[in-house]
């Protein structure tokens, strides 16, 4: 079920994959949207009910004038309040991973467990891929062909417009968001108090193994690391193993 709510005059959208299970709030990364979590929601049902936000400027949510850190965190807080599920587990990938741990650190009474997928405590985004994206293609196939190997990772964001095919996100907005994401977020990471699982793809070009281990070490006793055979988008590359790892963490002792 798709739902909408307003934040400061802007429309935000989310997908509630339904069921009577325990809620799990999910936050996607750049180039994606809430629908990217459909396979995970299916795999975790019926024990877990995934509710995923289309973050500002993504999916069916409105574009915004600002993509700063505080903007995203305020959106997550408003989303959590709107769905009215009480304190819940939160999962985030990449951009969503940083948003998730910053939200957990700043609203500790609202997050019962945290899963961060391939996102570091220090982020240095290279937005050259973003600026190289095609802004227009005559067909869906042409858009996929222009993206090459990256096409499966962005496919959920393909959209048809009056003059052809493009994305549900704006390229310039994405660059602004990536620039605002870059930085040292150690303080936010260290401030998280709930049980935390950091998932890293062993072939990731975004989260180095040493950095991931340092993140867990700085949260000694409260965070654990899982490394799966995948690139940066672990939930796509290792779908079954990712779901199994998330399920085990959420179902195990805290």
């Amino acid at each position: 079920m798709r739902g909408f709510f307003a934040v400061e005059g802007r429309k935000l959208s989310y997908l509630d994959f339904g069921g009577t299970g325990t809620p799990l709030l999910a936050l996607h990364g750049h180039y994606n949207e809430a629908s990217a979590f459909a396979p995970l929601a299916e795999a975790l049902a019926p024990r877990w009910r995934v509710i995923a936000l289309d973050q500002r400027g993504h999916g069916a949510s409105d574009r915004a004038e600002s993509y700063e850190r505080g903007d995203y965190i305020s959106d997550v807080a408003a989303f959590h309040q709107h769905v009215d599920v009480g304190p819940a587990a939160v999962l985030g990938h990449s951009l969503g991973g940083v948003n998730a741990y910053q939200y957990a650190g700043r609203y500790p009474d609202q997050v019962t467990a945290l899963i961060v997928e391939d996102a570091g405590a220090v982020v240095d985004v290279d937005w050259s891929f973003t600026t190289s994206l095609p802004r227009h293609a005559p067909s869906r196939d042409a858009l996929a062909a222009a993206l090459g190997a990256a096409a499966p990772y962005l496919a959920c964001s393909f959209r048809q417009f009056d003059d052809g095919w493009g994305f549900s996100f704006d390229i310039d907005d994405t660059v602004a968001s990536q620039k605002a994401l870059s930085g040292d977020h150690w303080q936010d990471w260290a401030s998280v108090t709930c049980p935390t699982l950091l998932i890293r793809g062993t072939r990731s070009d975004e989260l180095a193994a040493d950095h991931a281990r340092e993140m867990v070490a700085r949260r000694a006793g409260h965070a654990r690391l899982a490394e799966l055979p995948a690139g940066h988008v672990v939930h796509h590359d290792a779908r079954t193993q990712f779901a199994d790892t998330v399920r085990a963490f959420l179902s195990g002792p805290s």
Side-chain angles (χ1 to χ4, degrees):
M1 179 193 76
R2 182 172 295 280
F4 297 91
F5 63 102
V7 177
E8 297 179 350
R10 289 179 301 100
K11 177 188 71 179
L12 290 178
S13 169
Y14 64 95
L15 288 177
D16 184 344
F17 292 94
T20 58
T22 304
L24 171 62
L25 307 184
L27 306 173
H28 62 78
H30 285 121
Y31 319 122
N32 275 177
E33 55 188 58
S35 63
F37 291 112
L40 178 65
E42 182 178 3
L44 294 181
R47 176 66 180 82
W48 296 92
R49 168 192 170 196
V50 176
I51 311 173
L53 175 67
D54 277 341
Q55 301 196 80
R56 59 173 52 207
H58 297 79
S61 290
D62 287 343
R63 292 176 58 181
E65 294 183 359
S66 173
Y67 293 88
E68 296 297 324
R69 297 283 75 233
D71 300 320
Y72 276 112
I73 308 312
S74 294
D75 288 350
V76 176
F79 164 56
H80 196 167
Q81 182 178 25
H82 175 79
V83 296
D84 193 25
V85 296
V90 178
L91 178 153
H93 170 239
S94 194
L95 162 71
V98 178
N99 294 349
Y101 71 67
Q102 289 187 323
Y103 177 63
R106 300 175 194 187
Y107 295 84
D109 58 333
Q110 294 300 308
V111 182
T112 59
L114 174 68
I115 301 162
V116 175
E117 178 190 350
D118 221 70
V122 177
V123 182
D124 184 13
V125 182
D126 177 0
W127 48 84
S128 60
F129 173 77
T130 307
T131 55
S132 72
L133 290 172
R135 292 178 180 265
H136 176 271
S139 68
R140 183 185 180 94
D141 288 345
L143 182 59
L147 291 169
Y153 299 101
L154 278 70
C156 67
S157 297
F158 287 7
R159 291 291 190 278
Q160 186 174 17
F161 301 98
D162 291 341
D163 60 347
W165 284 77
F167 305 105
S168 59
F169 58 87
D170 180 82
I171 290 173
D172 295 333
D173 285 358
T174 300
V175 171
S177 177
Q178 290 174 321
K179 289 180 177 180
L181 177 63
S182 293
D184 183 328
H185 308 305
W186 273 118
Q187 184 174 352
D188 288 301
W189 171 258
S191 69
V192 176
T193 56
C194 66
T196 301
L197 175 65
L198 176 62
I199 300 179
R200 175 183 174 269
T202 56
R203 301 190 302 274
S204 174
D205 55 1
E206 297 293 337
L207 179 59
D210 288 348
H211 186 60
R213 294 188 180 99
E214 183 180 359
M215 290 173 69
V216 171
R218 292 204 191 186
R219 296 270 320 283
H222 299 284
R224 67 186 78 165
L225 174 65
E227 295 182 293
L228 300 180
H232 176 53
V233 192
V234 189
H235 68 263
H236 179 280
D237 292 349
R239 186 170 294 176
T240 300
Q241 291 157 292
F242 183 84
D244 289 346
T245 301
V246 169
R247 184 186 302 107
F249 170 72
L250 292 175
S251 302
S254 59

